[in-house]
Amino acid sequence: MNDHQDSENFAYDKDWEDILAMLDKAELEQNKHFMFMQRAKSKKKRIEHMRNYKALEGVIMALRWVLGDLHVSENKVLGRQ
């Protein structure tokens, strides 16, 4: 097993409510960055918010995959789709 896969590195203490709460937080944060991206006065700020928006898109996809969202495939999570 790789170091990042060893069970000693994981607490396994999250329940479904924790995962759903994190998904809600990530979606709210992504919406915030979308709003700020639309309102940004400078290109630099717009790019910063776009980067955060796209990063959270990955987080949201991964959490939806963990929750078993039927519309989120492994390929989608890995950016192949």
Side-chain angles (χ1 to χ4, degrees):
M1 249 185 175
N2 295 335
D3 285 339
H4 67 279
Q5 294 175 335
D6 289 342
S7 62
E8 65 194 35
N9 293 320
F10 297 95
Y12 299 107
D13 63 349
K14 306 298 185 259
D15 57 26
W16 292 115
E17 288 79 25
D18 294 327
I19 297 168
L20 285 167
M22 182 60 75
L23 176 59
D24 286 341
K25 289 176 188 177
E27 289 174 334
L28 287 172
E29 192 71 15
Q30 186 188 43
N31 289 335
K32 182 180 82 172
H33 284 292
F34 182 80
M35 183 183 65
F36 288 149
M37 183 176 55
Q38 299 299 313
R39 296 179 181 173
K41 304 261 188 239
S42 71
K43 183 177 180 179
K44 182 179 178 182
K45 279 291 183 188
R46 197 168 19 262
I47 290 170
E48 177 184 330
H49 290 297
M50 175 56 87
R51 188 175 297 125
N52 288 325
Y53 177 89
K54 292 300 287 179
L56 285 162
E57 190 174 82
V59 169
I60 291 165
M61 282 291 163
L63 289 170
R64 287 184 171 280
W65 179 82
V66 166
L67 290 165
D69 186 326
L70 299 175
H71 299 101
V72 179
S73 67
E74 182 178 313
N75 284 332
K76 203 174 225 183
V77 172
L78 296 174
R80 297 177 186 154
Q81 190 179 30

